[in-house]
Amino acid sequence: MFKEFKAFIARGNVIDLAVAVIIGAAFGKIITSLTEDVLMPVIGKVFGGLDFSSYFIVLGDVPAKLQGSTDYAALKKAGVPLLGYGEFITQAVNFLIVAFIIFLIVRAVNRVMPKKEEAPAADPADVVLLREIRDELRAKRGV
């Protein structure tokens, strides 16, 4: 079983996948910082607030010590049921930014990489057979 596991790990695609996950995690942190520290404050400023995480709807009772609080993290920690649509907006924007950047990277790589020359498609077996029959008939007629 150890040999099978070793053979599995030694495959190129497993190692490529591991590298992709590691780079993806690092890339995700960069994009998260870009979203949270650069873009969301600008978007929040445009829509009247600097922090989207403060946009939520309270769905249950708030403890007396947190009455009137707008601290999403404190309310959530206290177990208050909240509909945190601001955090959802932040994550949705984060996803769109990541998807767009990945699109740009793939597009740039596709332009830089040389295009593979496609080998001519092999003729279907019936076409090959018909050509052989034609050649045999020509050979018998002496043409």
Side-chain angles (χ1 to χ4, degrees):
M1 186 155 116
F2 182 71
K3 285 183 180 181
E4 289 178 69
F5 180 70
K6 186 178 173 183
F8 173 75
I9 293 298
R11 285 190 201 164
N13 54 357
V14 172
I15 293 170
D16 291 344
L17 179 61
V19 169
V21 167
I22 292 167
I23 290 174
F27 187 69
K29 289 179 183 180
I30 292 169
I31 297 303
T32 300
S33 176
L34 173 69
T35 303
E36 292 176 359
D37 301 330
V38 177
L39 296 176
M40 290 312 288
V42 172
I43 293 171
K45 183 71 172 173
V46 169
F47 289 102
L50 294 176
D51 184 14
F52 267 29
S53 67
S54 65
Y55 295 153
F56 59 89
I57 298 172
V58 179
L59 300 175
D61 295 329
V62 178
K65 65 180 181 173
L66 293 174
Q67 285 292 335
S69 175
T70 59
D71 186 1
Y72 179 76
L75 289 168
K76 193 170 184 175
K77 186 176 180 180
V80 177
L82 303 170
L83 179 66
Y85 65 91
E87 185 63 25
F88 176 77
I89 291 170
T90 300
Q91 295 304 322
V93 169
N94 192 2
F95 169 77
L96 291 173
I97 292 168
V98 169
F100 184 69
I101 290 173
I102 289 173
F103 165 74
L104 292 176
I105 290 171
V106 169
R107 186 172 160 209
V109 167
N110 285 340
R111 287 184 179 182
V112 170
M113 297 294 288
K115 293 185 180 183
K116 294 180 183 178
E117 292 183 27
E118 293 184 22
D123 291 329
D126 57 343
V127 172
V128 172
L129 181 61
L130 288 171
R131 284 187 184 142
E132 289 175 2
I133 292 171
R134 178 196 65 198
D135 294 343
E136 285 291 323
L137 289 174
R138 281 185 182 165
K140 285 184 181 178
R141 280 195 259 161
V143 177

